[in-house]
Amino acid sequence: MSRAVCPGSFDPVTHGHLDIVGRAARLFDEVVVAIGVNQSKSRLFGPEERVAMLERAVAGFPNVRVEGFTGLVTDFCVEHDAQAIVKGLRSSSDFDYELPMAHMNSALTGVETVFLPTATGQSFVSSSLVKEVASFGGDVSAFVPDFVLEALTRRLAERT
Ligand code: PNS
């Protein structure tokens, strides 16, 4: 049984994330979406909210499940007997950011990192940009599922 972990902050989940999760689900028997904490980013949605959004977003993938985690992603992979971490790459700057983490994670437990190039139509989409554009009233409906757009609009309205 091959099992991969797709880790990320998912604050909030975008179509770019879902493209990567869906493609990982075709490559591995099972995929666990692991919602973690990136200490260098501020969050709009709490961990339970992000788990609930991901569960709804991946409901159509029978071999994908969602869990929150704290601590090291390598510990999460060992606990879940996952042989690989799957990450999307939008650009060479993503690669520069991800490569040392892939080496570190491999050095810690031997877990492999598999990089998938993001679909060309999603290569400029990030949760951070979606939040910024939405916070100024821009239309981000093309980049996130409808229910995420509603949650995002509500949360931003609460904050003003
Ligand atoms: O979507 P993001 O913000 O790029 O996700 C980053 C995340 C949460 C996957 C990353 O920060 C992470 O793996 N955090 C867990 C702590 C950890 O294992 N750090 C060492 C990485 S080498």
Side-chain angles (χ1 to χ4, degrees), residues 84-123:
I85 293 170
V86 175
K87 291 279 190 93
L89 290 184
R90 291 166 297 199
S91 62
S92 54
S93 58
D94 273 359
F95 181 74
D96 289 343
Y97 173 70
E98 294 290 348
L99 188 63
M101 291 204 287
H103 284 315
M104 177 58 82
N105 288 332
S106 172
L108 289 173
T109 61
V111 68
E112 297 287 358
T113 297
V114 175
F115 291 125
L116 296 179
T118 305
T120 47
Q122 306 290 333
S123 60

Side-chain angles (χ1 to χ4, degrees), residues 7-10 17 34-39 41 69 71-74 87 97-98 100-102 104-105 108:
S9 307
F10 304 101
H17 293 129
I35 303 182
V37 178
N38 186 334
Q39 286 174 331
K41 292 182 184 170
F69 79 101
L72 290 174
V73 69
T74 46
K87 291 279 190 93
Y97 173 70
E98 294 290 348
M101 291 204 287
M104 177 58 82
N105 288 332
L108 289 173

